[in-house]
Amino acid sequence: MWKLKIGEGVDGPYLYSTNNYVGRQTWEFDPDAGTPEERAQVEEARQNFYMNRRLVKPCGDLLWRMQFLREKNFKQTIPPVTIEDVEQISYEKTTKALRRAVNFFSPLQASDGHWPAENTGPLFFLPPLVFALYITGHLNTVFHAEHRKEILRYIYYHQNEDGGWGLHIEGHSTMFCTALSYICMRILGEGPDGGLDNACARALKWILDHGSVTHIPSWGKTWLSILGIFDWSGNNPMPPEFWLLPAFFPMHPAKMWCYCRMVYMPMSYLYGKRFVGPITPLIQQLREELYLQPYNEINWTKARHSCAPEDLYYPHPLIQNLMWDSLYILVEPFLTCWPLNKLIREKAVQIAMKHIHYEDENSRYITIGCVEKALCMLACWVEDPDGDYFKKHLARIPDYIWVAEDGIKMNGFGSQEWDTGFAVQALLASNLTDEIGPVLKRGHDFIKKSQVKDNPSGDFKKMHRHISKGSWTFSDQDHGWQVSDCTAEGLKCCLLMSMLPQEIVGEKQEPERLYDAVNVLLSLQSKNGGLAAWEPIGASEWLEMLNPTELFENIVIEHEYVECTSSAISALVLFKKLYPGHRQREIENFITKAVRFLENIQMPDGSWYGNWGVCFTYASWFALRGLAAAGKTYNNCPAMRKSVEFLLRTQRENGGWGESYKSCPDKKYVPLEEGRSNLVHTAWAMMGLILAGQVERDPTPLHCAAKLIINSQLEDGDFPQQEITGVFLRNCMLHYPLNKNIYPLWALAEYRKWVPLP
């Protein structure tokens, strides 16, 4: 059986930690573990997912939940609660439902204080890692037979009915993920006709029916070129000379969004080297299988601009294609020939690798995210197959692997701090402190220990990095990358805990550490009042015209986000109340500008666009949270009134809210089909209305929403897994399994607190 391990790791030559591995979550397979009943329970969960995979595509993340509940001898002792059709909701029944949710959620906490969970959904995360390990010859040493079995399970279980795979688990089939999944299955031992439900043959038919892999988008072209299944001449240039540009240049790397910078850093290195992995018999077979014409007859120049319509979310403007053609025809031939290949290209490749090593070291070889992980690891192997850099990368692969009833997948990198920050706030809102004191104390301890203590090493500004001291990451301290909303939520948790007795929740965080967090937040505000997520905005919007991907939008430069701005308002308002003497004027100016930003970016229909959750419902809760913290009310704030109108207008007949993920790529509100509601969306909308004073005007919509949440609660106090609720880059969805626990619980807590009940 598979078992989740918490905080395990021993410092050595290839693995090390800044805080004794707090927050680390890794999986281990023990062939002798588990009773027959426990193994049968796991197998039943797998089969249930498979049989219902067309109805609910995200998994319930059940394996670690089963493990934790079993280890802690959990048994729900509070009987279920039901609200009848004509029944008025009572305080007693609301309290019972809330306590049932808290009783179930509390034992899911890990020993170090965080709540584990996967952070997955995109189907292009895992295959590149498999490719990199195949190329380097480490596939079978890193992924043993049980790993390979579960990786294949995940691929099979998320294949669409038409034979393809979407960009994410709920998406329509795309060339990018269908090709990656097919190649991954073949590398893992399946033949052209192999796989569950004839998976390989169906996938290959989809690929060929849609024009073959000549139509794969640019990221796919890069990985297929690395594998030797595509020719580098079929790629638009990714010159490593980019890293030699002077700082005043508009396209200097320091002005790019950090994720874009970190992806194209190793890509440019591998492109500059024109690296191609070993041409094995399997690679030769794939060259024959994946095209409609012989491999040596393909027009690679024409393939550069080919992209399947199913993948094309961001069509390249003409000016960008002209730029690529100019680089391809006029520049690359000179940079790859003597003497420029010696004078410039080799130096550029070395500078790119210098940046790769710097980022690797400052993230303890976790890297900023999973896309970058496989690329940086491979680049280190290309530089030195036997070097320590590559071995350090291998040691951090387990940090990305996640196992659930739908198989093995690769986390984006982990959402430990993000989930725990909201979990703690939800539990505090329940006002059940006397019952869950140890849970709160452990959560507080995790948050304190996860705060980043230092800035990146050395002359970090020269390496295009921003301050990180005092911040919180999305995952754990070792990751090292500051995120503004994670910092704000971590700060707020520390402030809320400081208001409770220390004998219950532990010692307060030191004031200096709180001051460091405030410093990070203040540094990330833009002139328009909005907050960036990772780094200050330092580039012009027109650079987005040069977005090299076809799959995503707004990836070239950093942007301001409603969620980050609102989180910062909420935290700084509380900080100003508790520490009125620290940078008071700066904080007041920050809040004023941030509120103005929220008001200015509101959509005409009264909603806000969500960048990290689905979508207008999510962002509306965040915006209302920030506005309410700043003292805005329904009576004095037109933006709040418009938002209330939007939320009331989108409530479903069953009392809930339900928004399709399609709202994110379409950038307009799209309800779930068939009048369905989603409990997470319902909780967000419910809390937003409470913040906007709906209780005083008409609590009926809140009663209807609470009734839906209470009646949807499962026998053990859990809530059912429904549609995916997270997103990034507008077009790709993320699965946050803890959302179904945190937010319905939180909404019931706020409902019980603010709505008068008999």
Side-chain angles (χ1 to χ4, degrees):
M1 284 179 64
W2 289 94
K3 185 173 183 179
L4 180 62
K5 301 283 190 174
I6 299 298
E8 292 206 355
V10 178
D11 285 358
Y14 309 126
L15 182 67
Y16 55 96
S17 173
T18 58
N19 68 341
N20 199 28
Y21 304 97
V22 170
R24 192 178 195 222
Q25 39 191 30
T26 55
W27 286 87
E28 177 182 280
F29 183 78
D30 182 353
D32 300 320
T35 65
E37 292 77 12
E38 290 165 356
R39 295 185 181 202
Q41 187 184 24
V42 169
E43 195 56 41
E44 182 182 6
R46 290 168 174 157
Q47 289 305 310
N48 285 342
F49 179 86
Y50 178 74
M51 297 303 294
N52 294 288
R53 68 193 188 284
R54 306 292 182 211
L55 300 175
V56 181
K57 297 189 176 182
C59 75
D61 207 10
L62 295 179
L63 299 196
W64 76 270
R65 291 170 178 246
M66 293 175 180
Q67 173 192 328
F68 274 36
L69 296 177
R70 183 172 63 247
E71 289 173 350
K72 298 176 185 181
N73 298 312
F74 168 76
K75 184 177 182 181
Q76 183 61 264
T77 57
I78 305 171
V81 177
T82 302
I83 309 297
E84 303 296 339
D85 287 343
V86 296
E87 182 181 358
Q88 187 177 7
I89 303 179
S90 67
Y91 183 87
E92 180 184 1
K93 284 198 170 184
T94 303
T95 301
K96 282 185 178 180
L98 176 60
R99 289 185 66 226
R100 295 181 79 246
V102 170
N103 283 359
F104 177 82
F105 189 54
S106 295
L108 294 179
Q109 186 183 38
S111 56
D112 64 5
H114 86 280
W115 276 263
E118 66 174 71
N119 181 238
T120 63
L123 293 171
F124 58 90
F125 281 3
L126 183 57
L129 179 63
V130 173
F131 300 167
L133 292 173
Y134 175 75
I135 290 167
T136 62
H138 287 75
L139 180 62
N140 292 337
T141 56
V142 173
F143 290 152
H144 56 63
E146 288 296 327
H147 279 97
R148 299 194 294 275
K149 174 183 174 182
E150 294 303 320
I151 292 171
L152 286 169
R153 184 194 305 277
Y154 186 68
I155 295 173
Y156 300 151
Y157 281 18
H158 290 285
Q159 187 173 25
N160 289 335
E161 292 183 82
D162 64 3
W165 284 264
L167 190 65
H168 54 88
I169 57 176
E170 290 195 6
H172 65 268
S173 295
T174 60
M175 181 65 72
F176 183 40
C177 289
T178 302
L180 295 189
S181 296
Y182 177 77
I183 296 167
C184 190
M185 289 189 293
R186 299 285 279 111
I187 286 175
L188 292 174
E190 294 290 6
D193 298 317
L196 182 67
D197 296 330
N198 213 19
C200 289
R202 292 165 58 218
L204 186 58
K205 182 179 186 304
W206 192 98
I207 291 168
L208 298 178
D209 286 350
H210 290 79
S212 87
V213 294
T214 54
H215 290 73
I216 198 169
S218 57
W219 281 13
K221 287 177 168 66
T222 298
W223 269 111
L224 267 60
S225 298
I226 290 167
L227 280 165
I229 303 172
F230 204 90
D231 196 273
W232 276 112
S233 63
N235 290 258
N236 282 324
M238 293 176 281
E241 288 75 16
F242 182 66
W243 298 94
L244 301 177
L245 293 175
F248 63 80
F249 200 76
M251 292 179 61
H252 189 267
K255 298 173 183 178
M256 294 176 66
W257 179 47
C258 56
Y259 273 86
C260 186
R261 188 168 76 238
M262 297 303 147
V263 167
Y264 285 97
M265 181 171 63
M267 276 190 180
S268 69
Y269 175 85
L270 295 165
Y271 173 84
K273 289 275 192 179
R274 296 298 196 278
F275 171 77
V276 178
I279 305 302
T280 64
L282 175 59
I283 297 300
Q284 295 280 14
Q285 291 173 36
L286 290 169
R287 285 181 173 183
E288 296 176 5
E289 295 168 9
L290 291 168
Y291 295 96
L292 294 171
Q293 68 246 64
Y295 187 79
N296 59 4
E297 296 179 11
I298 295 170
N299 184 337
W300 297 110
T301 301
K302 181 180 178 182
R304 281 191 305 118
H305 294 310
S306 296
C307 182
E310 293 80 4
D311 296 67
L312 190 59
Y313 181 67
Y314 177 77
H316 290 169
L318 178 61
I319 187 173
Q320 186 181 146
N321 286 334
L322 289 173
M323 182 189 74
W324 294 131
D325 289 344
S326 299
L327 286 171
Y328 186 83
I329 296 169
L330 302 176
V331 179
E332 273 297 304
F334 291 98
L335 290 174
T336 54
C337 291
W338 189 89
L340 294 184
N341 64 335
K342 295 293 184 182
L343 296 174
I344 299 177
R345 172 117 318 168
E346 284 191 7
K347 181 180 179 182
V349 166
Q350 290 169 5
I351 294 296
M353 181 51 75
K354 179 182 177 182
H355 281 273
I356 291 170
H357 289 324
Y358 181 83
E359 296 300 336
D360 287 348
E361 288 289 337
N362 278 280
S363 65
R364 275 50 66 182
Y365 287 80
I366 297 171
T367 74
I368 195 172
C370 65
V371 173
E372 298 79 2
K373 173 66 177 176
L375 288 164
C376 289
M377 182 176 75
L378 181 59
C380 288
W381 182 83
V382 172
E383 183 193 38
D384 183 358
D386 298 316
D388 286 352
Y389 296 126
F390 176 65
K391 293 173 183 176
K392 290 176 182 179
H393 265 294
L394 291 176
R396 280 294 189 172
I397 288 176
D399 294 66
Y400 278 99
I401 301 305
W402 196 263
V403 190
E405 66 269 27
D406 59 341
I408 278 182
K409 64 286 297 270
M410 188 176 187
N411 274 335
F413 50 89
S415 55
Q416 297 96 306
E417 172 55 37
W418 179 251
D419 287 333
T420 300
F422 285 116
V424 165
Q425 291 179 66
L427 291 172
L428 286 171
S430 73
N431 199 27
L432 298 173
T433 305
D434 291 342
E435 300 179 25
I436 56 171
V439 175
L440 294 173
K441 187 174 185 178
R442 285 192 295 270
H444 187 202
D445 188 58
F446 170 77
I447 292 169
K448 289 187 293 183
K449 288 179 178 176
S450 297
Q451 188 177 13
V452 177
K453 296 178 180 178
D454 300 299
N455 290 320
S457 62
D459 188 356
F460 59 89
K461 291 183 179 180
K462 184 178 179 181
M463 303 304 288
H464 320 319
R465 288 292 297 269
H466 187 57
I467 60 171
S468 58
K469 183 181 180 181
S471 69
W472 276 269
T473 74
F474 192 63
S475 53
D476 58 19
Q477 189 187 99
D478 280 342
H479 181 264
W481 269 92
Q482 70 284 346
V483 189
S484 61
D485 49 0
C486 298
T487 299
E489 300 301 340
L491 172 61
K492 187 173 182 181
C493 285
C494 287
L495 294 170
L496 290 170
M497 290 292 191
S498 73
M499 301 165 67
L500 296 174
Q502 292 192 26
E503 58 268 22
I504 296 177
V505 299
E507 294 182 3
K508 301 178 182 180
Q509 182 66 298
E510 299 168 8
E512 288 298 327
R513 304 291 298 279
L514 304 180
Y515 299 162
D516 289 340
V518 169
N519 187 53
V520 171
L521 294 177
L522 295 179
S523 75
L524 290 170
Q525 188 174 41
S526 300
K527 291 180 180 179
N528 64 7
L531 216 67
W534 288 271
E535 298 172 326
I537 292 173
S540 302
E541 187 71 31
W542 67 265
L543 285 171
E544 288 293 354
M545 292 180 62
L546 305 181
N547 174 5
T549 74
E550 304 86 351
L551 301 166
F552 308 115
E553 189 175 73
N554 288 351
I555 73 155
V556 176
I557 65 171
E558 177 69 284
H559 296 271
E560 299 90 0
Y561 305 99
V562 58
E563 300 96 326
C564 299
T565 307
S566 176
S567 288
I569 293 172
S570 181
L572 289 176
V573 166
L574 183 56
F575 177 85
K576 185 167 74 80
K577 176 183 176 182
L578 298 178
Y579 295 87
H582 185 77
R583 303 177 73 170
Q584 181 178 2
R585 181 163 303 212
E586 290 177 76
I587 291 172
E588 289 174 349
N589 289 338
F590 179 104
I591 293 168
T592 300
K593 290 170 61 180
V595 167
R596 190 180 306 124
F597 171 80
L598 293 180
E599 293 173 335
N600 289 341
I601 65 166
Q602 188 176 29
M603 306 290 285
D605 68 355
S607 67
W608 283 266
Y609 181 83
N611 295 277
W612 313 114
V614 178
C615 170
F616 297 97
T617 312
Y618 177 75
S620 294
W621 168 57
F622 262 95
L624 289 170
R625 192 168 168 244
L627 291 173
K632 298 296 183 179
T633 67
Y634 183 88
N635 294 325
N636 68 19
C637 180
M640 192 170 273
R641 290 196 293 274
K642 287 175 63 179
S643 182
V644 168
E645 291 170 6
F646 164 75
L647 290 174
L648 293 178
R649 188 170 61 248
T650 53
Q651 190 171 20
R652 317 311 293 269
E653 287 187 12
N654 66 0
W657 279 260
E659 186 175 357
S660 169
Y661 80 84
K662 294 177 182 177
S663 291
C664 302
D666 293 353
K667 290 173 276 189
K668 64 179 182 180
Y669 183 83
V670 180
L672 287 174
E673 297 175 351
E674 302 171 356
R676 298 197 312 276
S677 289
N678 182 294
L679 297 179
V680 176
H681 297 151
T682 300
W684 289 335
M686 192 174 164
M687 289 191 288
L689 287 173
I690 290 172
L691 287 165
Q694 187 64 31
V695 176
E696 290 79 19
R697 293 183 300 278
D698 177 16
T700 303
L702 303 173
H703 293 317
C704 295
K707 177 180 177 181
L708 177 67
I709 291 176
I710 292 171
N711 286 346
S712 299
Q713 194 171 33
L714 301 177
E715 187 77 18
D716 58 5
D718 196 3
F719 291 95
Q721 179 61 56
Q722 297 174 298
E723 298 83 5
I724 206 163
T725 55
V727 66
F728 71 100
L729 299 181
R730 304 193 180 215
N731 194 36
C732 199
M733 304 304 119
L734 272 175
H735 180 33
Y736 293 86
L738 288 174
N739 280 4
K740 68 172 182 173
N741 298 105
I742 294 169
Y743 296 105
L745 184 161
W746 197 349
L748 286 180
E750 299 292 352
Y751 174 77
R752 188 182 76 140
K753 180 179 179 180
W754 296 106
V755 181
L757 297 171

